[in-house]
Every structure is written in C-alpha cells, then in structure tokens.
Amino acid sequence: MGGLTYRNATLNDLPEIVRIYNSTIPSAMVTADTKEVTPKSRLPWFHAHNTEDRPLWIVLRGNTIIGWASFQNYHERSAYKATAEISIYVAYSHRRNGCGKEILQHCINYAPSKGIRTFIALIFAHNIPSLNLFYGAGFETWGELPDVTELHGIERSVRILGKRVG
C-alpha cells in the first residue's frame, strides 16, 4: 500500500477522530458505544495520550486524514508500563485496501523503541475483519470474555488478543 504518514494528534484533530469513531457505532462491530460520543466527552481520553509511549496518531494519505491509532494504558499500575492496548480506526472509505495492515505494522515497529513489549487488543468475537487483521500481524487469542456486551439486543463476546513486540 504505502504512502501513509503519521503525526501526533492535536486538539484540532479531535472532531475528526470522533467522526471516524462515531462512524463505526451503527455496525455494532467495533465499539461497545451505542450512542455517538462528542469531542468534549473524549477530552480525558485524548489527554491520557502522550508523544512518548502512549501516542495518539493521525494517519494521513497526502493531506487527507484516513484514520487514527492509539496506544493506551492497559492498566494504571506501574508494573504494566510495558504493555499497551492498541486501537486502530480507519475511515469507511479507506477500509479493505490495506491501510489497516500498514497502520498496525507501523505501530508494531514503533513500540519497542518506546519500551512497549506487549500489545493487547480487545476485539469483538464477531468482528472477523479486525480479528483477521490482527491475526495476520501475529497476534494470538489470549482469552475471551463471553457475552459481556449487548448490542442491538444481541449478547456479544470480546476476544483478548496479544502480541509480544519487544
């Protein structure tokens, strides 16, 4: 694929981050949110990121924002510092063309230089495209939380995927 660039997100990017995120809610495949979020409601999440080891990146093709990626604390206790939860969101018009694969590989390549040794990803068990993306990058199923969410009246399970990266 190629041609993607990454930069640290700014507050000015938050509306676009939220727009891309909200676009996934109706499918009930990606997030457990059932109602749209607002930029204001996402401020604490935005500020929990930093440019060192918990980045929030804007992904661009040329001058167009096509997605974002974030590393979040898996747990707040300091012994978990080398483990990050990874999230990748791609705008609908850029899905299924290799962007997700390229973004995920960029994240995997970056992580060890910032002391991250393990990635965790929480993915709905019915989200086959995302599971295939992560399995294709060497993630493995480390656990499953059966029927922990209810989306559109259907109980759904969450898979815990993991990968050692450093």
Side-chain angles (χ1 to χ4, degrees), residues 37-59:
V37 301
T38 65
K40 183 178 180 182
S41 73
R42 298 300 284 169
L43 280 171
W45 169 84
F46 178 87
H47 290 299
H49 293 87
N50 65 61
T51 58
E52 289 302 311
D53 61 352
R54 296 298 184 260
L56 172 56
W57 287 320
I58 294 299
V59 182

Side-chain angles (χ1 to χ4, degrees), residues 2-18:
L4 300 182
T5 58
Y6 306 82
R7 66 168 171 77
N8 292 311
T10 67
L11 272 176
N12 290 335
D13 297 314
L14 193 53
E16 184 63 8
I17 290 168
V18 165

Side-chain angles (χ1 to χ4, degrees), residues 27-90:
S27 73
M29 292 272 292
V30 180
T31 178
D33 277 314
T34 58
K35 294 183 175 130
E36 289 191 354
V37 301
T38 65
K40 183 178 180 182
S41 73
R42 298 300 284 169
L43 280 171
W45 169 84
F46 178 87
H47 290 299
H49 293 87
N50 65 61
T51 58
E52 289 302 311
D53 61 352
R54 296 298 184 260
L56 172 56
W57 287 320
I58 294 299
V59 182
L60 302 117
R61 171 165 285 124
N63 293 322
T64 303
I65 296 174
I66 62 118
W68 56 269
S70 74
F71 298 4
Q72 303 172 125
N73 287 338
Y74 164 70
H75 199 286
E76 73 272 1
R77 293 188 182 128
S78 60
Y80 291 102
K81 182 80 171 148
T83 299
E85 181 182 341
I86 184 172
S87 297
I88 296 171
Y89 284 77
V90 177

Side-chain angles (χ1 to χ4, degrees), residues 114-142:
K114 299 303 181 180
I116 296 169
R117 292 189 301 270
T118 305
F119 270 138
I120 301 289
L122 304 176
I123 301 174
F124 286 130
H126 66 284
N127 186 346
I128 302 305
S130 289
L131 289 171
N132 287 339
L133 170 67
F134 280 78
Y135 290 146
F139 280 71
E140 300 173 325
T141 298
W142 287 0

Side-chain angles (χ1 to χ4, degrees), residues 104-115:
L104 181 54
Q105 192 59 56
H106 178 81
C107 293
I108 291 167
N109 293 345
Y110 172 87
S113 71
K114 299 303 181 180

